[in-house]
Amino acid sequence: MAKMNLLQAINNALDSAMAADDSMICLGEDVGKFGGVFRATSHLQEKYGKARCFNTPLTEQGIAGFAIGMAAQGSTAVAEIQFADYIFPAFDQIVNEAAKFRYRSGNEFNVGSLVFRTPYGGGIAGGLYHSQSPEAYFCHTPGLKVLMPSNPYQAKGLLLSAIRDPNPVLFFEPKRLYRAAEGDVPEDDYEIPIGKAEVVRNGSDITLLAWGAQMTEMYKAADKAAEEGISCEVIDLRSLLPWDVETVANSVRKTGRLLIAHEAPHTGGFGGEIAATIQQECFLSLEAPIARVTGMDTPFPLAHEKEYLPDYLKVYEALVASLNY
Amino acid sequence: MSSASDEKPNLMHQTQFIQGHDLPIPTLSILNADGSIQAGAEVPELDQETAIKIYRNMVYIRVLDERMISAQRQGRLSFYLTCSGEEAAVTGTAAAFTINDMIMGQYREQAALRLRGFSTEQFMNQLLSNKDDLGKGRQMPVHYGSNELNYMTISSPLGTQIPQAAGYAYAQKLQGNDACTLCYFGEGAASEGDFHAGMNMAAVLNCPVVFVCRNNGYAISTPADEQFKGDGIAARGVGYGIKTIRVDGNDILAVYSASLAARRIAIENNEPVLIETMSYRLGAHSTSDDPSGYRSKDEEDKWREKDPIERMQNWLQSKGWWNEEEEKSILESYRKDVLDTLKRVEKKDMPGLDELITDVYDTPPAHLQKQFEELKEHIAKYPENYPVAGGAKHG
């Protein structure tokens, strides 16, 4: 075990994966000698050479297409998109190409050894284009897997799983927690299964569900509720596509209530998908409408960031309202 | 002109703009329409066996295309796209590469796939989306692919294969097996952002990829002069620092000569090459298109006189490698092969219903399996309303 922050855990996972797989390549804007604007790829070029960890020209559609080509050839391609806000130029390559590669070719070809890593989320005064949480766009795309870790231990284990999973994976990293989140991380190689949620706190009155950076607000809300004698079961979804219906449904059958929170806007957010599914699975167990505490249906603002974000107080108010329903 | 260099800057002291066409790019031309060789032309090494293989391939594809257009008009398949007029541009480029080189195309390059040995039956399986289609009946007709033949499955979004080809070639380079990638696209697709991304990345990252732009004058109804203002696509290659050549796409010797050299450069130097083949789309864009709405019969006739197949035939005859009887014989045998195969393949079953959900991922996840069980229950309730419950014929 070693104390690592979330960035160090990611760097450690990339290092571990590159050591184990000679065909693995890290690419993206500024990922080479500089080690990335957040330093997630620090020292990798030094250690594995310029051919395996390199800068690309500034073109997201190019990075995505290039990585798809490498993965189609059989190499392991881990591409970085500098901010999730800038993944949209690559949307066509990811949605029309990477996601459909195996299906459309009848498994003649695939890009299973492909991962896109990208920092996402608000809370760092990033305004419109350094704050977005675009996960829902990609969860609407069959063929992709979508992961969002919330702490260093998860970040390493999930990233190693993503790199070795035989399907293209989008790995959204909560940049607000890059240095803020610290924890014990095994130095040895390990994986966390994709498609499995983690019940991080047991409780009996209401189920609180989130992922990524939003988990820190959920813990705070659960702590505040505990002071009032409310017992929250807290679930970290970790994997959005595919997501763990069973773990969430089992929890809601027990507590009778569900609150989902995410930073991304409300309308069309992934919370809607979860709410609809759980309503179908747990109709007879639900004692209150499923609550969603989310970003507003606006672009991500700068001056009003604190007001905009679904912080723990908003979560707390919503869970109390659910209990009083 | 690297940025942080100590080189002496190349200065000028009058305000002079470089004109858009200051860099004239000539067209490589070797073969005359009558089959004679241009004065002073450097003829590539092309032995009789290879020449005949190339020629037969071009004729086969012309026959296949003509028959399949008719079959589509008869409602026997849903859609078709021909290679007509560009058989030399495609066959001549592909012939200069080896089976270890990956081919990543757009959709009008079936001649390259045939050259590698794709059978008539395999073409038909794909066109009719039956159970033996390598693509499992999922994509529209003419979206061929074959792992065995190193021919990447075609997809409809234009230009997406260009940066992919750069990445594929980069990985080939790291594997060090003396293979490269051959990437085709049309002059219309070259207007996509992915063209810019792929060309620039291939140059900067030293990728052994040969880009072939089939400039056939039209992107559906849009003529080339509404597609770009510069000197075609070739002029752009120079801007990216890529070795570039323009060839007469109806001249098999020019196409083949440039392609042989391009592959050598790509493999030996680990760098990209751009070939622009100047040709003409003789047929409609697809079976969903009628070119009479945007171009004249005169124009088409003018190009028909420059037919790449006739031109190569004249050359072969001038060398005593081909005669009328052989011509008649292959035309008859190809027509028979295509029609007989079509009749046989039409009787094949469609893919099993489970192919609806396989290959979305390596294995179907739980939520998809659940949706599939629901679908099967539904079909079991209304079997007469759906053409297939697995293994049945097309309705």
Side-chain angles (χ1 to χ4, degrees), chain A residues 283-298:
Chain A
F283 189 67
L284 296 177
S285 309
L286 283 169
E287 290 172 39
I290 295 169
R292 285 189 283 160
V293 183
T294 69
M296 291 169 70
D297 287 341
T298 67

Side-chain angles (χ1 to χ4, degrees), chain B residues 28-31 44 247-249 251-259:
Chain B
L28 178 66
S29 166
I30 296 177
L31 192 57
V247 304
D248 180 343
D251 173 346
I252 189 68
L253 296 181
V255 172
Y256 186 68
S257 176
S259 304

Side-chain angles (χ1 to χ4, degrees), chain B residues 31-329:
Chain B
L31 192 57
N32 288 313
D34 63 1
S36 62
I37 302 294
Q38 294 268 14
E42 207 179 342
V43 180
E45 257 184 60
L46 180 53
D47 60 66
Q48 182 174 356
E49 191 189 344
T50 313
I52 297 299
K53 187 181 177 192
I54 288 172
Y55 180 72
R56 291 177 68 115
N57 195 73
M58 288 161 57
V59 174
Y60 172 88
I61 286 298
R62 182 67 63 87
V63 169
L64 177 75
D65 283 350
E66 283 172 356
R67 298 291 128 168
M68 288 304 102
I69 287 284
S70 310
Q72 195 280 334
R73 293 210 179 104
Q74 293 161 2
R76 294 159 86 173
L77 56 150
S78 59
F79 178 79
Y80 197 75
L81 277 161
T82 75
C83 189
S84 299
E86 297 179 77
E87 293 92 343
V90 177
T91 309
T93 41
F97 289 75
T98 79
I99 189 83
N100 294 324
D101 299 325
M102 172 53 73
I103 295 181
M104 296 172 84
Q106 178 166 303
Y107 48 58
R108 210 179 288 288
E109 298 94 8
Q110 53 265 47
L113 183 57
R114 173 68 181 184
L115 193 73
R116 291 195 165 183
F118 211 59
S119 70
T120 306
E121 180 146 349
Q122 285 175 308
F123 278 117
M124 302 285 170
N125 289 338
Q126 200 285 331
L127 294 170
L128 296 171
S129 354
N130 65 33
K131 66 178 176 58
D132 293 332
D133 168 25
L134 293 175
K136 303 182 184 173
R138 291 171 182 148
Q139 290 213 83
M140 284 174 76
V142 200
H143 290 55
Y144 307 114
S146 166
N147 189 309
E148 191 196 344
L149 300 176
N150 254 337
Y151 192 92
M152 185 63 73
T153 303
I154 300 300
S155 73
S156 308
L158 290 179
T160 49
Q161 79 280 17
I162 303 172
Q164 291 172 12
Y168 199 99
Y170 184 88
Q172 285 173 312
K173 177 178 76 170
L174 291 200
Q175 309 275 310
N177 52 6
D178 282 339
C180 65
T181 297
L182 168 59
C183 176
Y184 292 103
F185 50 88
E187 91 286 350
S191 294
E192 292 282 2
D194 274 334
F195 166 85
H196 162 64
M199 298 293 282
N200 192 39
M201 290 186 84
V204 170
L205 295 163
N206 307 309
C207 305
V209 52
V210 175
F211 295 111
V212 175
C213 177
R214 296 178 294 92
N215 186 342
N216 64 17
Y218 287 89
I220 307 186
S221 74
T222 305
D225 64 3
E226 293 175 28
Q227 198 67 247
F228 48 75
K229 195 75 178 171
D231 181 17
I233 309 304
R236 297 184 205 166
V238 179
Y240 291 110
I242 292 178
K243 288 197 175 78
T244 299
I245 191 167
R246 172 176 287 150
V247 304
D248 180 343
N250 289 7
D251 173 346
I252 189 68
L253 296 181
V255 172
Y256 186 68
S257 176
S259 304
L260 276 181
R263 181 178 188 276
R264 204 178 309 123
I265 293 166
I267 295 272
E268 286 174 9
N269 305 2
N270 279 319
E271 64 173 272
V273 181
L274 171 64
I275 301 173
E276 183 180 23
T277 61
M278 306 308 288
S279 183
Y280 188 78
R281 195 194 74 211
L282 275 183
H285 161 69
S286 74
T287 50
S288 309
D289 172 50
D290 172 12
S292 69
Y294 53 83
R295 67 187 194 188
S296 70
K297 183 95 179 15
D298 282 356
E299 179 185 301
E300 290 178 10
D301 289 344
K302 199 185 86 197
W303 277 94
R304 218 158 257 134
E305 285 166 18
K306 300 182 189 175
D307 192 305
I309 295 182
E310 272 174 41
R311 198 188 300 189
M312 187 175 187
Q313 192 193 347
N314 291 342
W315 176 68
L316 291 175
Q317 288 189 351
S318 76
K319 292 190 71 95
W321 289 354
W322 198 250
N323 59 46
E324 292 294 333
E325 266 169 54
E326 284 167 304
E327 182 73 14
K328 214 176 135 215
S329 153

Side-chain angles (χ1 to χ4, degrees), chain A residues 103, chain B residues 352-357 367-383 385-390:
Chain A
Y103 190 75
Chain B
L353 189 62
D354 59 335
E355 302 294 10
L356 175 57
I357 65 156
H367 67 277
L368 189 47
Q369 288 177 33
K370 185 169 174 246
Q371 290 166 21
F372 189 55
E373 291 310 314
E374 287 166 6
L375 174 67
K376 281 197 292 189
E377 277 174 39
H378 176 80
I379 291 175
K381 196 171 174 188
Y382 298 99
N385 294 71
Y386 299 92
V388 68

Side-chain angles (χ1 to χ4, degrees), chain A residues 23 25 27 50-52 54-57 59 61-63 65-70 72-73 75 92-93 96-97 99 101-109 141-145 165-167 241-243 280-281, chain B residues 102 134-136 138-139 145-148 150-155 157 159-161 163-164 166-168 170-172 174-175 193-194 197 200-202 204-205 207 355-362 365 367 370:
Chain A
S23 84
I25 292 154
L27 71 156
K50 207 179 166 188
R52 290 182 59 196
F54 55 85
N55 288 342
T56 64
T59 167
Q61 65 193 100
I63 292 167
F66 198 89
I68 287 168
M70 286 196 295
Q73 190 275 341
S75 295
D92 184 47
Q93 284 284 356
N96 272 334
E97 296 291 318
F101 221 89
R102 188 192 297 272
Y103 190 75
R104 75 185 186 201
S105 72
N107 205 23
E108 287 285 294
F109 299 96
T141 305
L144 298 178
K145 292 192 176 181
D165 188 90
N167 298 284
L241 183 64
W243 68 281
Q280 192 174 17
E281 295 290 319
Chain B
M102 172 53 73
L134 293 175
K136 303 182 184 173
R138 291 171 182 148
Q139 290 213 83
S146 166
N147 189 309
E148 191 196 344
N150 254 337
Y151 192 92
M152 185 63 73
T153 303
I154 300 300
S155 73
T160 49
Q161 79 280 17
Q164 291 172 12
Y168 199 99
Y170 184 88
Q172 285 173 312
L174 291 200
Q175 309 275 310
D194 274 334
N200 192 39
M201 290 186 84
V204 170
L205 295 163
C207 305
E355 302 294 10
L356 175 57
I357 65 156
T358 58
D359 306 329
V360 179
Y361 296 90
D362 64 317
H367 67 277
K370 185 169 174 246

Side-chain angles (χ1 to χ4, degrees), chain A residues 15 106 136 141 164 210 234 270 274 298 317:
Chain A
D15 192 348
T141 305
R164 289 155 189 169
V234 184
F270 198 61
I274 296 170
T298 67
E317 281 302 311

